[in-house]
Amino acid sequence: MNIVTIGGVTVGLAILIHHLTTWWPGAKKLTKDPAGHAAALAPFLLAWAYGVLAILTVGGLIGWIADTTLWISNWLGDVALVWGVGGTTGTAAGRGTYLPLTQTGTAVVLLLTVLLLAAAKKSQYGSSLKAGAWCGICLGTSAGVAGLAAVPLAQSANWLGSQAYGIFA
């Protein structure tokens, strides 16, 4: 598993800020139709949750893709910090312990991967889904709010897997 750097967190936050800024309908429109505007944000948030789960997957092709995405994001963010604004790089504060996904929890992540790939290809929200997953991968192992979200997401995937596969076992 890759460690997230300050540059990787910066890339994740930049994706989040960009998406929220382009989504923001304005206070007046938001108060008129809050459910409709929240629904427009839902694909990004659901894909973000998937990205967090994907970075918690420690093996296999999905884990390798998530780790590679984080590595590239770390590199891009570090380059932007050093060459773009004259800053420095370093390891961001990461979560000390990770809640492992169970066997059925990883099966849920695999099924969610199939769902996300199909939805990104067929849906009008393809770019939001891709950006959300990328953002979740970048922020999923950070120590902040995103890192804290990893625990309930992993617990939910583990529970869902045990329930779903308990029916079929």
Side-chain angles (χ1 to χ4, degrees):
M1 180 182 319
N2 281 324
I3 303 299
V4 68
T5 66
I6 295 171
V9 171
T10 303
V11 168
L13 290 173
I15 294 167
L16 179 63
I17 289 168
H18 177 269
H19 193 79
L20 290 176
T21 302
T22 57
W23 163 81
W24 180 250
K28 188 179 255 187
K29 288 183 180 178
L30 188 60
T31 55
K32 282 186 178 180
D33 185 20
H37 292 295
L41 189 59
F44 179 86
L45 295 176
L46 292 172
W48 179 87
Y50 167 80
V52 172
L53 285 173
I55 198 63
L56 294 177
T57 307
V58 294
L61 183 61
I62 296 169
W64 179 80
I65 291 170
D67 282 348
T68 302
T69 301
L70 181 59
W71 177 79
I72 291 168
S73 299
N74 285 339
W75 184 83
L76 288 172
D78 289 346
V79 166
L81 287 173
V82 171
W83 293 97
V85 294
T88 59
T89 65
T91 303
R95 292 183 27 79
T97 59
Y98 294 93
L99 181 68
L101 291 170
T102 61
Q103 184 179 15
T104 56
T106 55
V108 168
V109 173
L110 178 62
L111 296 174
L112 291 174
T113 302
V114 172
L115 175 71
L116 184 75
L117 291 174
K121 184 174 181 176
K122 291 289 192 179
S123 171
Q124 65 180 357
Y125 300 107
S127 61
S128 291
L129 293 170
K130 292 172 192 173
W134 186 10
C135 182
I137 288 170
C138 290
L139 298 178
T141 56
S142 66
V145 173
L148 295 175
V151 172
L153 286 172
Q155 287 174 339
S156 298
N158 290 340
W159 176 84
L160 181 61
S162 68
Q163 297 303 308
Y165 285 90
I167 294 171
F168 298 109

